[in-house]
Amino acid sequence: MAVTVKVPAQLRSLTDGAAEVSIEATTVREVVALLESQHPGMGARLLDESGALRRFLNVYVDDEDVRFLDGIETSVPEGSKVSIIPAVAGG
């Protein structure tokens, strides 16, 4: 199932500058695995040592925060947009 992944500016060096990539995946976990296989280094930037999404990284499937769904196991319907958004902190 084809989904569009929106890549933040901080990670575009790994996608040769592409702001969006198309991936065939059915879960967020598959999205991350395929991103890593097609764009080496992406997995380490998205997942922590335990294989969970990094704490200061927000991932949305069609504007729904995966933290409030099934986390990394959230399903990704065909035609969905997966947005990767680094959290911004500061005061």
Side-chain angles (χ1 to χ4, degrees), residues 32-55:
V32 173
L34 289 169
L35 281 173
E36 173 60 26
S37 70
Q38 295 175 14
H39 307 285
M42 188 71 81
R45 302 286 294 274
L46 302 178
L47 302 178
D48 64 17
E49 299 76 29
S50 70
L53 291 169
R54 290 198 174 274
R55 183 174 171 194

Side-chain angles (χ1 to χ4, degrees), residues 31-73:
V31 167
V32 173
L34 289 169
L35 281 173
E36 173 60 26
S37 70
Q38 295 175 14
H39 307 285
M42 188 71 81
R45 302 286 294 274
L46 302 178
L47 302 178
D48 64 17
E49 299 76 29
S50 70
L53 291 169
R54 290 198 174 274
R55 183 174 171 194
F56 296 107
L57 181 74
N58 299 308
V59 177
Y60 293 84
V61 174
D62 292 331
D63 300 323
E64 294 289 328
D65 190 333
V66 300
R67 290 178 294 183
F68 301 108
L69 300 171
D70 292 323
I72 199 164
E73 300 303 333

Side-chain angles (χ1 to χ4, degrees), residues 18-39:
E20 293 184 347
V21 295
S22 182
I23 293 213
E24 298 279 331
T26 59
T27 66
V28 172
R29 181 178 301 282
E30 286 180 12
V31 167
V32 173
L34 289 169
L35 281 173
E36 173 60 26
S37 70
Q38 295 175 14
H39 307 285

